[in-house]
């Protein structure tokens, strides 16, 4: 049976708090992109801990991605794979949200890095679209730099890949755990029961 982990709102709050120092020191984000829906709450909490006196709050933009099982295109070999679709994306017009990312240090936030399919898609597609916006602004426009924060990284073979230098220098998981199913508080129907189960596990 797959082990289940229960994470409370307080756990999430404290994990964001603990991660904030490193994120401020090393990634210095100017903009946060939250991958919905699991990235929204951590991104919002993190923003409070990233706030510097005298500076405005770091803006948060939301993207939505959804995973689905697909049959491969080759009818001879029907390979089942995992595909990602955009359910919500940034405005791609020249003066829109994508242009705002040009030259910025952008922190991508999600709740869990499981197979890494979602993060690979998000990084690749954001990099591609921001690069297009950058080229529209002119050859001298600076490049964006992406970093990643997740609450949990499951220590398992990954289907998706991230650039090596990103994993080394621009990737932070608050917790590295096994291949367990994590129950987050925002998914709970009965939050008291959820918290009770979380407390029971901590004993
Ligand atoms: P990926 O496999 O692409 O890394 O993760 C895809 C998505 O699956 C995550 O963003 C998350 O919504 C969901 N997911 C994967 N593992 C878990 C888990 O243990 N708990 C919950 N609640 N969602 C998960």
């Amino acid at each position: 049976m797959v082990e289940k982990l229960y994470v409370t709102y307080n756990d999430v709050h404290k994990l964001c708090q603990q991660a904030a120092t490193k994120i401020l020191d090393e990634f210095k984000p100017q903009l946060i992109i939250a991958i919905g829906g699991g990235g929204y709450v951590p991104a919002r909490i993190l923003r409070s801990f990233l706030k510097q006196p005298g500076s405005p709050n770091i803006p948060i933009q939301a993207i939505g991605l959804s995973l689905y099982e697909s049959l491969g295109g080759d009818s001879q070999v029907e390979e089942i794979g995992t595909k990602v679709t955009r359910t919500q994306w940034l405005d791609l017009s020249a003066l829109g949200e994508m242009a705002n990312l040009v030259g910025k240090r952008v922190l991508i936030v999600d709740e869990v890095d499981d197979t890494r399919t979602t993060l690979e898609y998000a990084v690749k597609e954001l990099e591609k679209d921001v690069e297009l916006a950058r080229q529209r602004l002119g050859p001298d426009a600076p490049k964006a730099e992406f970093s990643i924060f997740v609450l949990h990284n499951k220590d398992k073979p990954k289907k998706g890949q991230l650039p090596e230098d990103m994993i080394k220098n621009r990737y932070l998981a608050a917790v590295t755990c096994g291949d367990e199913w994590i129950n987050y508080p925002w998914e709970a129907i009965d939050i008291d029961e959820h918290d009770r189960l979380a407390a029971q596990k901590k004993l």
Side-chain angles (χ1 to χ4, degrees):
M1 202 179 75
V2 179
E3 186 71 20
K4 280 188 181 172
L5 222 125
Y6 290 85
V7 178
T8 67
Y9 281 113
N10 276 12
D11 293 333
V12 175
H13 201 92
K14 287 174 186 170
L15 290 175
C16 290
Q17 183 172 20
Q18 286 156 18
T21 313
K22 186 171 164 137
I23 290 171
L24 272 176
D25 287 352
E26 297 183 16
F27 306 161
K28 301 179 179 58
Q30 297 164 295
L31 204 133
I32 294 173
I33 292 188
I35 303 180
Y40 296 162
V41 176
R44 176 58 191 89
I45 295 171
L46 200 55
R47 184 171 81 168
S48 296
F49 291 111
L50 297 179
K51 171 91 172 75
Q52 295 294 284
S55 297
N57 266 318
I58 298 175
I60 301 176
Q61 294 189 346
I63 60 171
L65 298 172
S66 110
L67 283 187
Y68 66 94
E69 294 298 318
S70 70
L71 288 177
D74 186 343
S75 57
Q76 301 289 308
V77 193
E78 287 205 333
E79 188 195 344
I80 295 183
T82 312
K83 291 239 163 110
V84 187
T85 49
R86 301 174 180 193
T87 54
Q88 185 189 354
W89 200 248
L90 303 173
D91 178 1
L92 293 172
S93 68
L95 295 172
E97 292 157 333
M98 203 49 82
N100 285 340
L101 269 64
V102 174
K104 296 265 169 62
R105 290 182 298 276
V106 182
L107 180 69
I108 300 170
V109 176
D110 206 355
E111 87 279 44
V112 57
D113 178 357
D114 180 20
T115 64
R116 200 163 277 171
T117 309
T118 304
L119 286 173
E120 175 185 303
Y121 181 91
V123 169
K124 271 197 184 148
E125 293 296 297
L126 284 168
E127 279 185 338
K128 195 177 74 192
D129 287 349
V130 181
E131 182 56 21
L132 282 174
R134 189 184 77 86
Q135 283 168 13
R136 273 187 299 208
L137 288 176
D140 297 333
K143 294 204 169 198
E145 185 179 76
F146 292 93
S147 53
I148 289 177
F149 171 67
V150 289
L151 296 172
H152 296 90
N153 174 32
K154 297 189 193 177
D155 188 11
K156 65 190 267 188
K158 303 291 189 185
K159 284 190 204 159
Q161 301 296 322
L162 292 171
E164 216 171 286
D165 74 304
M166 176 176 252
I167 290 287
K168 238 193 204 159
N169 305 313
R170 289 175 285 119
Y171 176 98
L172 177 63
V175 177
T176 302
C177 59
D179 194 5
E180 301 146 317
W181 185 258
I182 306 159
N183 290 292
Y184 290 99
W186 46 83
E187 298 163 337
I189 303 301
D190 182 341
I191 192 68
D192 294 324
E193 171 71 357
H194 176 95
D195 283 355
R196 199 182 58 73
L197 290 166
Q200 215 173 52
K201 291 261 175 177
K202 283 178 187 133
L203 291 178

